Amino acid sequence: MLIKTIARLISYALLGKSDKQALDIASVRKVLILRNDKIGDMIVTTALLRELKKNYPHWQIDVAASSANRSIIADNPHVSDIIVWDKQPLLRDLRTTIAELRRRRYDVIFNPYNRFSIPLLLRIKWLGARYLTGFAIPKYGTSTAKLGMFDHTVPCDRNAHILESFFAAFQQFNLRDIDMRYELFGVDAHAAAIDAACDALLDTHDGLFCLNFQGSNAQRTVSVADAQRCCAVLAARYPRHALLVIAAPGSEARVAEIVDGAGHANVMRSPPTGHILQLAALIRRCELVLSPDTSVIHLASAYDKKIVGYYIRTDNYRWFYPASRHYRVILAPGLTLASVSAEETLAAVEALLPEPAPLRVAG
């Protein structure tokens, strides 16, 4: 209790703002969206970038990105400038990125992070936004809604897709005709080798599945044994499809083990996808995508693919579920994908795909 009280008092002392002004939407010119984290989060945020620019075409919309996710918006026409803001010690941050962003004097800054972290909030406060909007996150017996640094906060709705909360944070801007679809740009520049490989596969197969079993951490990763079983049942059920298992950097040996252990010739490693937009190029050619909750799900959503998603039992299965019209979520009973059922996986795929035509027997 004492620690909570001290943290609450420190929050009030450090995270206030004395010179608040009423929002004048007509005077807004420069907006900064903070998104210096993961690839999937940036893909989801593309819908917000488009809708802000559509409603306010005169705005300069900048994005603070990470080195990891910058390429997702490198060719996005709705973004004026991208500032790479990778994690670094606080004092170095103050001298470099924070100082640069503060000099730009943004009218509006959106903080999309749904966590109460004093070091994070200090960094955001020092950016000097005239108007700061974000989420009301409870902690230490208080909430970010009670911190003076925020001009507007909304609850981060745990029963709706995260984009609903993003747009709620901009409710005072009266955005109209909101379209929540994700979008990607610049994929064609990375697609030549992928398209050639897919064309060759489609000469001998009726379609392509993209299978990913690697998660962002061990808890979200499907075991080799379970991946082998899933591949085997899908390959037997869809023998005229090529099942392409993608390899995240560093997981090549693991993928080779999955492919070899599946025991079917139509299970194979995917063409190389060393760049995230190469992976996007592959996904847009596939009929179905299967993956844990990673950027693969969001890339597939951008192309409205049929998706089977493996989710652990956290808020992510409600906040970041697939944003396509046709999907199935397989929800783990706990906080790991320790056991993934091949039968449940097959049932989910069958629910999304038409009955495969029977194999013709020569004779």
Side-chain angles (χ1 to χ4, degrees):
M1 180 66 72
L2 179 60
I3 293 175
K4 283 187 176 181
T5 300
I6 292 172
R8 183 169 64 250
L9 293 174
I10 290 173
S11 300
Y12 292 156
L14 297 180
L15 301 173
K17 185 166 69 173
S18 59
D19 55 344
K20 286 195 176 186
Q21 302 174 19
L23 174 64
D24 178 10
I25 295 177
S27 70
V28 172
R29 291 293 182 272
K30 299 174 68 175
V31 176
L32 177 66
I33 308 298
L34 302 178
R35 194 75 275 177
N36 53 330
D37 50 357
K38 297 180 180 179
I39 293 171
D41 297 297
M42 184 66 86
I43 297 169
V44 171
T45 304
T46 59
L48 176 65
L49 298 173
R50 180 191 58 244
E51 297 306 298
L52 291 177
K53 194 68 172 180
K54 181 177 76 178
N55 279 268
Y56 294 96
H58 62 284
W59 279 5
Q60 171 186 322
I61 301 176
D62 294 349
V63 178
S66 66
S67 296
N69 67 20
R70 182 191 186 282
S71 57
I72 293 297
I73 56 168
D75 294 302
N76 191 310
H78 314 306
V79 176
S80 300
D81 196 11
I82 302 170
I83 304 94
V84 173
W85 190 3
D86 288 329
K87 291 181 180 179
Q88 56 185 344
L90 179 57
L91 291 179
R92 188 181 304 163
D93 245 354
L94 283 169
R95 296 193 305 267
T96 56
T97 312
I98 292 174
E100 167 61 23
L101 292 171
R102 188 177 180 88
R103 279 194 294 270
R104 295 179 179 225
R105 301 177 64 83
Y106 286 104
D107 300 308
V108 176
I109 294 179
F110 172 48
N111 169 31
Y113 301 118
N114 52 356
R115 64 183 188 271
F116 193 131
S117 162
I118 292 176
L120 170 67
L121 293 171
L122 277 172
R123 285 170 163 87
I124 294 171
K125 178 192 173 181
W126 289 332
L127 299 180
R130 285 176 50 207
Y131 182 87
L132 177 63
T133 183
F135 297 133
I137 306 299
K139 196 172 183 180
Y140 304 127
T142 184
S143 165
T144 51
K146 297 181 180 180
L147 302 179
M149 63 181 280
F150 281 95
D151 299 281
H152 180 66
T153 59
V154 296
C156 194
D157 188 349
R158 281 175 158 75
N159 296 306
H161 195 281
I162 194 69
L163 272 176
E164 299 279 3
S165 297
F166 282 12
F167 286 113
F170 281 89
Q171 63 189 14
Q172 292 183 277
F173 293 85
N174 301 312
L175 302 180
R176 299 177 181 275
D177 303 320
I178 292 174
D179 181 350
M180 295 179 61
R181 290 175 296 177
Y182 312 158
E183 58 183 353
L184 299 170
F185 298 91
V187 176
D188 288 345
H190 299 268
I194 296 295
D195 284 340
C198 290
D199 289 342
L201 286 167
L202 290 170
D203 285 340
T204 54
H205 296 83
D206 288 353
L208 308 175
F209 294 171
C210 179
L211 310 182
N212 173 48
F213 298 104
Q214 185 70 39
S216 57
N217 54 41
Q219 289 72 32
R220 289 180 165 88
T221 295
V222 179
S223 72
V224 169
D226 284 347
Q228 290 170 338
R229 284 189 284 268
C230 289
C231 286
V233 298
L234 291 174
R237 184 71 175 90
Y238 300 93
R240 299 203 307 212
H241 280 69
L243 278 58
L244 307 177
V245 184
I246 62 176
S251 68
E252 293 83 2
R254 185 175 185 273
V255 167
E257 187 178 357
I258 292 170
V259 170
D260 293 343
H264 289 262
N266 61 327
V267 178
M268 60 195 79
R269 182 176 168 180
S270 76
T273 54
H275 192 285
I276 188 64
L277 296 184
Q278 285 181 310
L279 179 55
L282 174 65
I283 285 172
R284 72 180 181 179
R285 296 296 303 271
C286 292
E287 184 178 353
L288 176 133
V289 176
L290 182 149
S291 175
D293 172 27
T294 68
S295 59
V296 173
I297 293 281
H298 305 307
L299 290 171
S301 296
Y303 292 113
D304 197 28
K305 295 297 178 179
K306 296 179 175 70
I307 301 170
V308 174
Y310 300 120
Y311 284 72
I312 62 175
R313 197 168 287 274
T314 67
D315 287 325
N316 270 26
Y317 80 90
R318 292 184 291 246
W319 278 337
F320 292 101
Y321 60 80
S324 65
R325 289 176 296 171
H326 307 287
Y327 69 89
R328 292 292 185 275
V329 166
I330 297 177
L331 186 61
L335 297 179
T336 75
L337 296 178
S339 178
V340 170
S341 164
E343 292 71 25
E344 192 174 0
T345 297
L346 177 59
V349 172
E350 288 179 327
L352 294 172
L353 294 179
E355 187 77 14
L359 287 172
R360 292 189 294 272
V361 179

